[in-house]
């Protein structure tokens, strides 16, 4: 009896170790995070998300404002320094996805801003959303902006390149978004400006194949400078 | 021979499991992260740190500017919206410590700003730095600002409250910092404004006993508003 229990414990131990070793191998080869993505805290529950939303609640967007709306890539931009003397508001939140934007869109449309520059979708890809869901959500975002704040000009910026393995997916997705928005928003192609020959985002623009370095923001600024409203 | 190898493997397996279970217990009780702190990537090596520094490199601080210098708590503040119409620059970087500030201080002093509002040290505490090192580094930061940019007014803000277990440490540290800076910088006590009766940061100001919600930034703004330069 005692021997059987010990044998059972040993087998449980071996089994647990196989799981641990598998997890380590997946982690090292970069496959663990995507597999666990559905289990991760959704962006709308993270403490950082709540902090930014609570801060934005106190700063009402004003008529005349230029709103940069998106995820960590937008959040990371020093928009006031990229466009001094222009009435910009940074409304990027790290980890945000298309449905997160829909949840907090009233904080933007409430104030009837002059312009919205939207860049969203790359985290949807990481979380395994389909192209159809992402495209539908982006179209809904534009329709809601136009509905709730008819004077607002909407600029939809292409999803940025990432690692080369994302090239086909993101290029297809960008084509679908562009086709779906039609003339409901102005399309701005940042993708091809940041792309390297190997299909990834160029090293001089990103140090993690996702977020932008100062040189990346400079390219972005250059691409939209003539469109950003001067008061 | 074969039996001995199997026996050895089984014991290795059990040993590995004991390590894994210990790590899980430490993680659940919140003791794993502090233990691993010395092994973590230092802030100056993180991709986020490099991205912000590369962006700041392109935006030279100007004479007349008001610079908010610090870690994630400073980075998280929408300073342009807290102080519209004032020439503010956000120079907070998540995870930064006193020695990180010393490494990038030239990006601030280069431009001879009018004012620097410094809030740094809480990550030093997390990384196990001694009070003496933290105090020395803060004094060196002030001396270097005064040396490299003599016209700059320096405001040293107290380290904020965290969980109640930090109360004694942070109160002692704040007293030491205040005593050490003397009249080389103006001391601003944010600590007692954000403290709850139980010795932690009040729940209405923080959702993670470290970073600030919108209401926390409103208290901070109120505390310094009369000092922030109006152009």
């Amino acid at each position: 009896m005692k021997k059987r229990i010990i044998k059972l414990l040993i087998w449980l131990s071996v089994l647990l170790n196989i799981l641990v070793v598998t997890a380590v191998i997946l982690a090292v080869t970069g496959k663990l995070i995507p597999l666990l993505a559905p289990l991760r805290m959704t962006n709308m529950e993270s403490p950082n998300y709540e902090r930014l939303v609570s801060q934005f609640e106190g700063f009402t967007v004003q008529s005349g404002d230029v709103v940069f709306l998106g995820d960590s890539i937008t959040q990371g931009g020093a928009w006031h320094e990229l466009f001094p003397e222009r009435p910009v508001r940074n409304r990027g939140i790290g980890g945000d996805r298309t449905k997160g934007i829909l949840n907090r869109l009233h904080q933007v449309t409430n104030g009837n801003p002059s312009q919205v520059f939207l860049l969203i979708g790359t985290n949807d890809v990481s979380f395994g959303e389909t192209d159809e869901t992402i495209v539908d959500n982006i179209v809904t975002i534009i329709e809601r902006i136009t509905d709730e704040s008819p004077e607002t000009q909407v600029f939809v910026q292409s999803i940025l390149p990432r690692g080369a393995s994302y090239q086909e997916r993101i290029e297809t997705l960008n084509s679908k978004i562009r086709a779906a928005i039609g003339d409901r928003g102005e399309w701005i192609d940042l993708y091809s400006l940041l792309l390297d020959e190997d299909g990834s985002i160029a090293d001089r623009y990103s140090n993690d194949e996702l977020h932008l370095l100062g040189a990346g923001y400079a390219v972005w600024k250059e691409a939209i400078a003539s469109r950003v409203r001067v008061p």
Side-chain angles (χ1 to χ4, degrees), chain A:
Chain A
M1 187 62 193
K2 213 173 152 191
K3 238 182 161 175
R4 282 186 70 172
I5 293 179
I6 290 176
K7 220 173 169 183
L8 184 73
L9 282 176
I10 287 171
W11 279 112
L12 276 176
S13 165
V14 170
L15 192 71
L16 185 55
N17 267 319
I18 291 171
L19 285 174
V20 168
V21 169
T22 311
V24 168
I25 291 171
L26 286 172
V28 168
T29 56
K31 293 193 183 105
L32 186 64
I33 299 293
L35 268 177
L36 292 179
L39 300 175
R40 278 189 302 188
M41 200 184 270
T42 70
N43 47 4
M44 282 79 80
E45 289 160 2
S46 86
N48 180 55
Y49 203 90
E50 186 194 1
R51 284 196 293 274
L52 280 165
V53 167
S54 78
Q55 219 181 147
F56 295 159
E57 203 57 55
F59 306 128
T60 319
V61 169
Q62 308 283 322
S63 148
D65 281 353
V66 178
V67 176
F68 289 89
L69 184 61
D71 52 34
S72 56
I73 304 171
T74 295
Q75 188 188 347
W79 297 106
H80 283 275
E81 304 197 51
L82 286 159
F83 293 111
E85 319 296 333
R86 307 205 202 175
V88 302
R89 302 236 180 210
N90 189 335
R91 289 296 178 270
I93 301 190
D96 212 2
R97 287 181 275 163
T98 53
K99 66 178 175 188
I101 298 287
L102 284 167
N103 275 337
R104 61 185 176 95
L105 195 57
H106 63 280
Q107 289 193 329
V108 173
T109 57
N110 269 351
N112 302 302
S114 281
Q115 301 180 320
V116 170
F117 286 84
L118 180 71
L119 176 58
I120 197 73
T122 207
N123 291 316
D124 292 74
V125 170
S126 303
F127 273 81
E129 295 286 4
T130 63
D131 283 5
E132 284 54 46
T133 304
I134 300 171
V135 171
D136 282 356
N137 286 350
I138 289 178
V139 168
T140 307
I141 291 167
I142 304 171
E143 288 177 345
R144 273 196 46 204
I145 295 174
T146 309
D147 204 42
E148 297 167 16
S149 176
E151 306 293 313
T152 304
Q153 245 186 312
V154 183
F155 298 87
V156 182
Q157 301 162 118
S158 64
I159 296 174
L160 310 188
R162 294 173 60 167
S165 64
Y166 286 91
Q167 181 175 18
E168 206 184 313
R169 171 80 195 271
I170 294 181
E171 289 182 0
T172 308
L173 180 54
N174 277 333
S175 304
K176 289 181 185 171
I177 298 170
R178 183 176 191 172
I181 62 170
D183 57 3
R184 286 179 282 196
E186 187 174 332
W187 177 256
I188 295 175
D189 173 28
L190 302 176
Y191 180 90
S192 57
L193 301 176
L194 300 167
L195 189 69
D196 200 14
E197 285 172 4
D198 70 358
S200 70
I201 187 164
D203 288 346
R204 62 187 177 285
Y205 300 136
S206 176
N207 61 359
D208 66 351
E209 298 199 322
L210 180 60
H211 299 96
L212 294 176
L213 289 162
Y217 285 106
V219 169
W220 188 351
K221 172 190 170 163
E222 183 67 23
I224 61 173
S226 65
R227 294 173 175 100
V228 175
R229 193 179 82 84
V230 183

